[in-house]
Structure formats: C-alpha cells, structure tokens
C-alpha cells in the first residue's frame, strides 16, 4: 500500500532532566511518531527559540529551574504564542491536571505512566487541536476581513455612483479596489481584455462588455474575487449612468443655447409690434372697439416680452451665470414707481393696493431686479385676489436686513404646494395657461443672489403672505466680506 505523505511533526521538548528527555525520545520512536525533536533545558531557552521558529507541539516539564511550566504557559499566552502544550510531570495529581488544562495546556501526562501509545496519542491530539484552532482563527480572520470589505463596499458604491463622468468612475473604482482588496495595483479601463493577476469584466445592462477591472500584485482569495466582481458591476452601471448624464447635459446645453438664441431673436420683432401698437393707439384708433383690440395686442406683446425675459433668466440660472449688480441707494424711487404703476392698475382691476414702506436708510440692491421680484409678487396677488379684495406691500428694517412683505386676502394656497412653490415651472391649476411658471423660481434666484431669503405663509381661505429679505450691506463673499464694488453674485437657483 502506498504510504500517505504526511508532514513531519516539529516538537520542542523542554526538560532539564536528561534521563526524562531520553525516555520521551524512546517513547516517540517506539510509537513510530514521525517527528523532529528539539530539546532545551529551561523556560528562557524555550521562549528564545519559540520567538524564532514554529513548532507543532510543545512537550513541557512542569518543574524547571528559574521558571516552572505554569509560569511559561502564562507567558506564552501573554505573547500570543498559540502553540499546543503537553505538560509532563512526575506527579499524578488530578487536581493539578485540571489546573494545568485551565491554564491552557492541551493535555497532561505523568512521567511515571509515560508509555509510547499514551505519549503518541497525546501528541497527536495536541497537534490536531492546534491545527483546528489555527484553521478556526484563519476562518474567523477571513470572515472579519470579508465583513470589513462589505462595509467598505457600501461606502464605495455611493462614491462610484456619485461620479458624473466616465473618467471619474474609472478612477474611483480603481482607488476603492486598491483600498478594499489591498492589492498593489488596480485599474479600471475601457476596451479589450488586459492581462493581470486577476481581471474582471465590466458588463453593462445589455450584457455588452464595457471594459475590465484589472488587479495585480496580490494573492486573491475567493472573497477578494467576489468583491472585485461587485466593484466591476458597480463600475459598469456607473459608467452607463455617466454616459447618459453626459448626453443629457449636452442636450440641456443645446436646448439652453437654442432658447437663448430664439429668445434673443424674438425681442426685436416684439419691440416693433409694441412700438407700432402704441403708435396706432395714438394716431389711428378712435372708436372704443379698436382701442380695446389694440390694447389686447399690446398686452399680449408685453406678456411675450416677459416670457422671453424669464426664459433668458432661466438659462443664466442653470448655467450658473445669473448675476445682480447691487448698489447703495434709497428705496424711495421703488415706492414711487409702485405707487405710479401698480396702484392705478389695482384700482382698474377692482382691488385696493396699500403701500407701507418705512423711511429706511440706503441699502445695496439691484433696482431693476428688485422691481422684478416685487412685480412678480404683486402680479400674482392681483391674479388670485377677487374683485373688492385688498393687497398690501410693506418694507421694514429687521436687524441687518430689510424685510419686504406682499400680502393679499385671496383664497390662499394649499399646504401641499408650499414646499414646491419656488421650483421651476410650478403653477396653480387655475392659472396654468397664463405663463411658464418661472416667476417665483426667478424671484428666489434674484433674492438669493442679493444674499437674502424668500418664503411664503398661507392657509386656504386666509390669504397669502410672501416675504423676502435683502441685506442692508449687500451680498457677502465666501469669507463673509462685503464686496468693495458692485459685482454679480452667481446662483444656481432654488435648492
């Protein structure tokens, strides 16, 4: 029969009695234990050799000069040397045996009863126990490592999917692969298969191979391979998402450019329509019906002009190029313009408009943009307030800002609409046909560009109160300083 190839045992025998050492060697030979036996006579010598070499089992005499076997057991445990130990003693005390086993010994043998079979059985039991312990520790370490890898993988997923370009995705997945698996080199690349110690394909949603995740310089466990596969899957999805994002951004950019060009080109013919309408009203329209018809044309032209202006503002906001030019000035001209233009308009519509703007010090604001915000809020108030209703406009100092208020006693706004009222294209159902739904969105961008805030308070049946603030000293830079000269403040629109 062919002999099984079993690794030769390495045993360390620690005993200061040469006769006892000879007896142990004879018993091992008699039992046909295939082992290399190293011998030392003291605990200190045993610690020195164990620090440099590995053994399968330690045969340890209980009584040694200087330090006994109990003390050496404790020192081995303290140093983290998990070697199985068979204790040898001339005593046959069962109480001592229990004590030694509790201290960490794998077995206990009395030298008086030391026979080949008993010694061989004890050595084999101790070595098998040691190997089982090492396997269990290795399995536990592998499990703990895999758990850590899974935890890191969760964080890597957010980072990889947060990358908006293909190059950023490839860089992120390579970096996280190196960190999670611990390999010397890893890279993600598009195109054909590349060589390496481990490579995993990046497979897209349709089953097409986008590229490879290539790893080098490490021994890869099944856990590492599984983690690499997960990272490759994350990368493939993120690459496709990044490509979709790039296409979407290109489409948005093209759309914005078209809107800007068309809006700009429409202004000239609309200006001609407006001027000709005004001239016709002054020169040719004598009867009331003709006046009403021309006035409708004029109003439609004004509405189109406002829509074009809103579209141009929208493209600037989305491009991050929206700006205001605040200057220190008085609010008095604003109050006068509201009085001259909006009070008569409200009266013609059958509403009352009351202005209450305190005597305020100068503050930094962009005159045209501030009028745009107030006009938007007043236009909404007139639109929703019933004939006979009341609208109020107020401005007062609050700390380092001026607070503006536009309120009405109209029907109010549903609570569900309040959180989204300043978003793009948001409109009430009753007036959805009257505009593009950009007014409040742009108003918020204007206020935030001034460094202020805007909000609304309303209840159904209780009217509506729009408010916004403008800092007295104007918008501040990132360091909290007021710019020395008027400057544009970019905004990305409502958050």
């Amino acid at each position: 029969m062919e002999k099984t190839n079993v690794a030769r045992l390495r045993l360390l025998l620690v005993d200061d009695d040469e006769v006892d050492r000879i007896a142990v060697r004879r018993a091992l030979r008699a039992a046909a234990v295939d082992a290399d036996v190293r011998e030392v006579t003291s605990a200190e010598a045993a610690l020195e050799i164990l620090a440099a070499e590995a053994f399968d089992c330690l045969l340890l005499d209980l009584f040694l000069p200087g330090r006994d076997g109990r003390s050496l057991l404790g020192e081995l445990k303290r140093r983290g040397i998990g070697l199985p130990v068979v204790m040898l003693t001339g005593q046959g005390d069962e109480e001592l045996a229990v004590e030694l086993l509790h201290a960490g010994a794998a077995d206990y043998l009395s030298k008086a009863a030391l026979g080949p079979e008993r010694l061989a059985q004890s050595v084999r039991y101790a070595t098998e126990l040691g190997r089982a312990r090492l396997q269990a520790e290795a399995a536990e370490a592998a499990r703990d490592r895999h758990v850590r890898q899974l935890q890191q993988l969760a964080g890597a997923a957010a980072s990889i999917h947060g990358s908006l370009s293909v190059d950023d995705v490839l860089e992120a997945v390579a970096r996280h692969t190196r960190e999670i698996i611990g390999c010397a080199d890893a890279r993600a690349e598009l195109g054909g298969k590349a060589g390496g110690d481990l490579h995993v394909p990046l497979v897209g949603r349709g089953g097409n191979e986008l590229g490879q995740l290539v790893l080098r310089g490490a021994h890869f466990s099944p856990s590492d391979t599984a983690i690499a596969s997960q990272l490759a899957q994350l990368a493939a999805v993120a690459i496709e998402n990044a490509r979709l994002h790039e296409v979407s951004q290109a489409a948005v950019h093209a759309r914005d450019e078209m809107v800007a060009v068309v809006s700009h080109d429409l202004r000239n013919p609309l200006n001609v329509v407006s001027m000709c309408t005004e001239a016709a009203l002054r020169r040719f329209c004598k009867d009331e019906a003709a006046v009403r018809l021309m006035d409708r044309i004029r109003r439609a032209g004004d509405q189109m002009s406002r829509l074009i202006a809103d579209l141009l503002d929208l493209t600037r906001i989305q491009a991050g190029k929206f700006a205001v030019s605040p200057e220190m000035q008085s609010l008095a001209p604003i109050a006068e313009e509201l009085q001259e233009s909006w009070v008569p308009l409200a009266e013609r519509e059958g509403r009352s408009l009351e202005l209450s703007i305190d005597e305020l010090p100068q503050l930094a604001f962009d005159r045209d943009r501030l009028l745009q915000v107030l006009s938007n809020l007043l236009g909404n108030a007139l639109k929703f307030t019933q004939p006979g209703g009341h609208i109020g406009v107020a401005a007062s100092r609050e700390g380092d800002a001026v607070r503006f208020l536009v309120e009405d006693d109209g029907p109010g706004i549903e609570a569900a609409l309040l959180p989204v009222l300043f978003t793009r294209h948001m409109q009430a159902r009753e007036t959805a046909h009257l505009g593009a739904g950009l007014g409040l969105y742009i108003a918020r961008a204007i206020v935030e560009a001034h460094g202020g805030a805007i909000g609304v308070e309303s209840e159904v049946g209780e009217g509506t109160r729009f408010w916004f603030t403008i800092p007295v000293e104007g918008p501040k830079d990132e360091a909290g300083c007021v710019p020395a000269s008027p400057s544009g403040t970019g905004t990305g629109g409502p958050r």
Side-chain angles (χ1 to χ4, degrees):
M1 180 180 292
E2 184 179 352
K3 185 177 180 180
T4 304
N5 186 18
V6 179
R8 188 177 179 87
L9 295 179
R10 298 197 73 233
L11 308 179
L12 178 63
L13 174 59
V14 185
D15 197 324
D16 63 325
D17 191 318
E18 184 178 358
V19 174
D20 290 340
R21 295 198 303 273
I22 293 173
V24 170
R25 289 199 302 271
R26 286 176 178 172
L28 290 171
R29 284 196 299 272
V33 176
D34 187 15
D36 288 327
V37 182
R38 293 284 298 276
E39 299 178 15
V40 293
T41 60
S42 67
E44 285 70 20
L47 288 172
E48 184 177 349
I49 196 171
L50 287 172
E53 301 181 40
F55 292 87
D56 296 300
C57 182
L58 174 63
L59 303 174
L60 177 61
D61 186 19
L62 177 60
F63 297 106
L64 294 169
R67 175 183 293 195
D68 63 13
R70 290 189 190 88
S71 175
L72 182 56
L73 275 176
E75 184 64 19
L76 292 176
K77 186 175 182 181
R78 188 183 68 81
R79 296 191 182 189
I81 301 175
L83 183 67
V85 178
V86 175
M87 297 298 302
L88 304 175
T89 178
Q91 301 178 6
D93 190 341
E94 291 186 3
E95 184 177 339
L96 176 61
V98 172
E99 179 187 342
L100 293 173
L101 292 175
H102 284 169
D107 202 359
Y108 165 87
L109 294 177
S110 171
K111 291 181 180 180
L114 186 65
E117 292 301 324
R118 180 70 181 89
L119 178 59
Q121 180 184 19
S122 182
V123 168
R124 292 190 181 102
Y125 166 75
T127 54
E128 289 172 2
L129 184 66
R131 288 168 181 167
R133 179 185 56 77
L134 290 176
Q135 291 173 356
E137 289 176 353
E140 184 176 1
R143 182 203 64 191
D144 291 344
R145 181 171 182 265
H146 190 61
V147 169
R148 288 194 301 272
Q149 287 179 326
L150 291 175
Q151 292 171 339
Q152 291 174 292
L153 184 64
S159 171
I160 293 169
H161 284 305
S163 303
L164 298 180
S165 74
V166 173
D167 288 342
D168 288 345
V169 170
L170 296 175
E171 189 280 328
V173 75
R175 183 181 72 254
H176 287 296
T177 300
R178 290 191 294 270
E179 292 172 354
I180 296 173
I181 296 181
C183 54
D185 180 37
R187 72 176 187 273
E189 54 189 26
L190 302 180
K193 185 177 296 185
D197 298 315
L198 174 65
H199 63 267
V200 185
L202 309 180
V203 181
R205 295 184 180 93
N208 55 313
E209 189 170 315
L210 306 176
Q212 296 286 320
L213 176 59
V214 182
L215 291 76
R216 291 189 176 91
H219 172 72
F220 301 108
S221 67
S223 172
D224 293 333
T225 303
I227 291 295
S229 297
Q230 291 291 321
L231 287 164
Q233 184 177 0
L234 289 172
V237 174
I239 287 169
E240 292 185 327
N241 289 343
R243 286 174 172 172
L244 290 174
H245 176 76
E246 290 171 355
V247 171
S248 173
Q249 289 298 100
V252 169
H253 180 69
R255 181 205 64 190
D256 290 344
E257 282 191 339
M258 182 191 69
V259 169
V261 170
V262 172
S263 299
H264 189 273
D265 291 347
L266 280 175
R267 279 185 160 181
N268 289 333
L270 270 177
N271 288 336
V272 174
V273 170
S274 179
M275 289 187 295
C276 291
T277 303
E278 292 291 342
L281 280 170
R282 290 194 303 270
R283 296 183 182 182
F284 308 116
C285 296
K286 304 301 181 182
D287 64 282
E288 185 176 344
V291 170
R292 286 200 301 271
L293 182 61
M294 297 303 293
D295 189 55
R296 289 181 63 185
I297 295 174
R298 180 182 59 79
R299 290 189 181 188
D302 291 344
Q303 185 177 354
M304 291 180 67
S305 295
R306 287 193 298 272
L307 177 57
I308 290 172
D310 286 348
L311 289 174
L312 289 173
D313 283 342
L314 175 63
T315 58
R316 294 187 189 104
I317 292 170
Q318 291 181 322
K321 297 179 180 179
F322 185 76
V324 297
S325 299
E327 296 180 1
M328 294 300 296
Q329 54 192 306
S330 171
L331 278 176
I334 299 293
E336 292 174 5
E337 183 154 347
L338 295 177
Q339 181 70 40
E340 292 175 0
S341 58
W342 284 96
V343 171
L345 177 60
E347 291 175 353
R348 288 198 303 269
E349 298 288 339
R351 285 83 165 167
S352 64
L353 173 58
E354 180 182 357
L355 301 177
S356 177
I357 298 179
D358 297 347
E359 290 291 334
L360 296 170
Q362 290 192 340
L363 69 154
F365 64 92
D366 184 319
R367 178 184 180 280
D368 292 337
R369 290 301 190 179
L370 181 60
L371 278 172
Q372 185 178 351
V373 175
L374 289 168
S375 297
N376 179 278
L377 298 180
L378 279 169
N380 284 340
L382 283 175
K383 187 188 303 180
F384 291 104
T385 303
Q386 299 298 319
H390 175 77
I391 300 168
V393 179
S396 59
R397 178 72 176 265
E398 287 192 2
D400 58 357
V402 172
R403 178 184 175 91
F404 294 83
L405 179 67
V406 178
E407 58 182 340
D408 63 65
D409 56 7
I413 303 171
E414 298 175 16
L417 296 179
L418 295 179
V420 296
L421 204 58
F422 295 95
T423 56
R424 186 176 57 179
H425 304 309
M426 178 60 204
Q427 290 179 292
R429 290 188 296 271
E430 297 82 355
T431 59
H433 62 288
L434 298 179
L438 298 174
L440 292 177
Y441 177 80
I442 295 170
R444 181 172 184 174
I446 293 171
V447 171
E448 291 181 345
H450 278 86
I454 190 169
V456 61
E457 302 164 1
S458 183
E459 292 184 16
V460 175
E462 299 295 331
T464 302
R465 293 162 57 90
F466 281 93
W467 59 266
F468 65 93
T469 59
I470 300 292
V472 172
E473 295 184 352
K476 297 180 179 181
D477 58 21
E478 294 182 356
C481 301
V482 178
S485 59
S487 62
T489 304
T491 176
R495 288 182 294 272

